[in-house]
Amino acid sequence: MTSDQTHIIVGASLAGAKAAETLREEGFDGRVVLIGAEEERPYERPPLSKEYLRGEAGREKVYVHDEGFYAEHEIELRLGRTAVGLDTSNGELELDDGERLDYDRLLLTTGAEPRRLPIPGAELDGVLYLRSVGDSDTLRERLDRGGAVVVVGAGWIGAEVAASARQRGLEVTVLDPLSVPLERVLGAELGAIYRDIHTDHGTEMLMGTGVESFEGDKAVERVRTSDGRELECDFVVVGIGVEPRTGLAVQAGIAADNGILVDEQLKASVPGVFAAGDVANAQHPFYGERIRIEHWANALNQGPAAARSMLDALTAYDRLPYFFSDQYEVGMEYTGFARASDRVVFRGDPATREFVAFWLVGDRVVAGMNVNVWDVIDPIKRLISERVTVDDRRLADPDVSLEDLAQVEGGTVA
Ligand SMILES: Cc1cc2nc3c(=O)[nH]c(=O)nc-3n(C[C@H](O)[C@H](O)[C@H](O)COP(=O)(O)OP(=O)(O)OC[C@H]3O[C@@H](n4cnc5c(N)ncnc54)[C@H](O)[C@@H]3O)c2cc1C
């Protein structure tokens, strides 16, 4: 070891594990400590609402690295340990067992946790949330028993859990106060397509409906809705979004607002501290504002970018947001960020569930979603990142290739 520095990563999930890997790949040969509150070595969460939840994939499929990886790369993996205190002026981190660790650089990849529903009956048995592999195991046991489930929240987690439960043959009811599923990200038109996909598979979609209380004797037996209905059920899954885990940063005086505030190079407000993944509200050079992204690809890529910043290889993290979702036989990928848009242009007939949707502002594409259409991410990225001027008719015409539309001199893909 030629470096006597210690770099610590708090949060042993995707962003943290990829950051540790990158520190070694980039040649850092000092001490690397990766601290994780969970007992499990770093794993990926997307399968937990999909194939792992349905029992189609085993646990070995979810891990980020092989078991021996951390020891082989001299990464000190401390599992089942929570960082509880942080003194940034002395570069010192305190763990829940009282151990104190000095650091030269610190990366916070503490992620996010499910928002709780504070209503009567919230503490009843059978009111479940999904974030960890343990949560997915608990839910999978419920799916094995069959019966009826009420899913509260028609965002990505709720929609995927509903689809998996239906695929396992349960009776599924989904509630959401918004008018269609996934409305916040996709808008009313695309959300309606997802509502129909669920309805076609026999899921009851109670949109525009909130939840008043969970009722039952010890365990939940029914859900009382805002419009006075009583829905009998065997269990409930709540998926109403996540909150970034900023507690450790905030108590150490690090600036946070909807996540830990970091600049384009993922540096936090205090020297030597960085953040990445779900917890980071990062300044994005392309958008010229801060955005916090709660998706797999962001954790995958931002972790390594933060590691490079820790090593002073300072480059801006400028990847366009990207995520995917699978529900029943419908797979999709979404690229970009449509905080606002004028209209949606479709390439292909949405009724066939094989199409690309583009969100536009003026004559520019700000986001694209390909549904059961593959290998189109690069031209979609290029359309967005190069701010290519497009014509709605050509964009909608499947005979005009997206590559041709996205052709720009010297263009690079973010
Ligand atoms: C069920 C499910 C399905 C998903 N499906 C998709 C999908 O289809 N597509 C997609 O793009 N994204 C999906 N996501 C989102 C994706 O998994 C997240 O964006 C990703 O996990 C974020 O990774 P992260 O490393 O930033 O944080 P997290 O995965 O949240 O991990 C943070 C880790 O830090 C640990 N930690 C926190 N505080 C401390 C502390 N003080 N001390 C020690 N450890 C600490 C936590 O225990 C946790 O293990 C899904 C998420 C879930 C839950």
Side-chain angles (χ1 to χ4, degrees):
M1 214 178 262
T2 52
S3 170
D4 57 2
Q5 294 207 326
T6 299
H7 290 355
I8 299 186
I9 302 167
V10 178
S13 184
L14 182 58
K18 295 306 284 185
E21 178 188 323
T22 305
L23 286 174
R24 289 298 185 226
E25 260 175 23
E26 294 288 325
F28 177 68
D29 64 359
R31 189 176 176 205
V32 176
V33 188
L34 175 58
I35 298 161
E38 297 186 60
E39 296 289 346
E40 211 65 45
R41 76 176 188 268
Y43 59 88
E44 312 219 1
R45 298 180 201 273
L48 307 184
S49 51
K50 308 178 186 70
E51 61 274 24
Y52 182 83
L53 175 61
R54 293 193 297 271
E56 296 161 11
R59 193 169 279 217
E60 69 287 354
K61 293 274 181 215
V62 303
Y63 293 114
V64 179
H65 295 112
D66 294 342
E67 199 171 357
F69 174 87
Y70 302 96
E72 276 159 29
H73 291 82
E74 294 184 43
I75 295 165
E76 294 175 39
L77 183 59
R78 306 282 183 89
L79 295 176
R81 286 278 164 278
T82 302
V84 293
L86 172 57
D87 174 355
T88 57
S89 47
N90 290 313
E92 192 182 72
L93 187 75
E94 185 187 346
L95 305 189
D96 53 355
D97 59 357
E99 184 178 358
R100 286 168 188 276
L101 293 163
D102 291 330
Y103 66 82
D104 294 284
R105 297 281 156 96
L106 177 73
L107 172 61
L108 298 172
T109 49
T110 46
E113 62 196 11
R115 199 171 285 142
R116 303 274 149 176
L117 195 58
I119 59 168
E123 303 309 322
L124 287 170
D125 276 355
V127 175
L128 306 176
Y129 290 80
L130 176 56
R131 184 75 191 175
S132 68
V133 70
D135 296 339
S136 185
D137 289 338
T138 303
L139 195 48
R140 191 203 304 198
E141 276 170 37
R142 296 286 182 151
L143 298 192
D144 289 343
R145 282 190 241 162
V149 56
V150 174
V151 177
V152 178
W156 299 109
I157 299 290
E160 290 192 349
V161 167
S164 287
R166 246 342 263 149
Q167 284 170 286
R168 291 292 315 277
L170 280 80
E171 273 176 54
V172 183
T173 306
V174 179
L175 297 179
D176 197 299
L178 296 181
S179 63
V180 292
L182 309 165
E183 184 170 352
R184 269 191 204 90
V185 178
L186 300 185
E189 201 173 356
L190 269 300
I193 294 169
Y194 271 93
R195 176 200 56 211
D196 295 346
I197 291 167
H198 282 268
T199 307
D200 288 354
H201 285 84
T203 296
E204 189 170 6
M205 302 297 284
L206 299 181
M207 297 295 100
T209 310
V211 54
E212 287 288 308
S213 59
F214 302 128
E215 297 173 357
D217 177 29
K218 289 204 180 104
V220 65
E221 292 164 22
R222 77 197 71 82
V223 175
R224 189 176 293 279
T225 68
S226 55
D227 56 2
R229 276 186 248 209
E230 283 185 5
L231 307 171
E232 298 294 323
C233 62
D234 296 290
F235 63 102
V236 166
V237 181
V238 180
I240 55 166
V242 295
E243 296 287 348
R245 277 198 204 90
T246 54
L248 183 67
V250 168
Q251 59 103 30
I254 295 168
D257 178 14
N258 179 31
I260 299 171
L261 298 180
V262 291
D263 66 11
E264 294 178 354
Q265 295 152 350
L266 310 172
K267 293 190 296 244
S269 62
V270 168
V273 181
F274 302 75
D278 277 17
V279 78
N281 189 0
Q283 182 68 25
H284 198 291
F286 181 76
Y287 295 104
E289 61 180 312
R290 283 210 169 87
I291 51 176
R292 190 174 68 77
I293 297 169
E294 298 163 352
H295 292 299
W296 173 88
N298 185 61
L300 181 78
N301 295 308
Q302 227 177 35
R308 286 189 280 272
S309 270
M310 291 166 87
L311 301 176
D312 295 325
L314 297 175
T315 47
Y317 181 80
D318 61 358
R319 276 179 181 262
L320 289 179
Y322 162 90
F323 66 89
F324 60 93
S325 175
D326 298 315
Q327 296 165 45
Y328 311 103
E329 69 291 346
V330 182
M332 63 76 90
E333 297 173 291
Y334 180 104
T335 310
F337 179 51
R339 199 194 284 287
S341 68
D342 310 332
R343 61 195 184 287
V344 179
V345 170
F346 290 97
R347 165 176 285 241
D349 179 2
T352 64
R353 291 170 190 167
E354 227 179 271
F355 64 94
V356 185
F358 298 95
W359 284 259
L360 285 101
V361 173
D363 52 13
R364 307 281 159 85
V365 175
V366 293
M369 177 171 87
N370 45 304
V371 177
N372 283 346
V373 173
W374 307 109
D375 301 324
V376 290
I377 289 299
D378 280 352
I380 293 176
K381 274 186 180 171
R382 204 173 300 121
L383 284 171
I384 300 168
S385 63
E386 298 299 326
R387 298 187 166 92
V388 177
T389 305
V390 291
D391 169 78
D392 284 18
R393 264 181 316 107
R394 282 166 57 77
L395 198 57
D397 183 353
D399 292 334
V400 180
S401 88
L402 283 178
E403 280 77 11
D404 284 349
L405 278 178
Q407 218 45 258
V408 278
E409 294 281 307
T412 52
V413 181

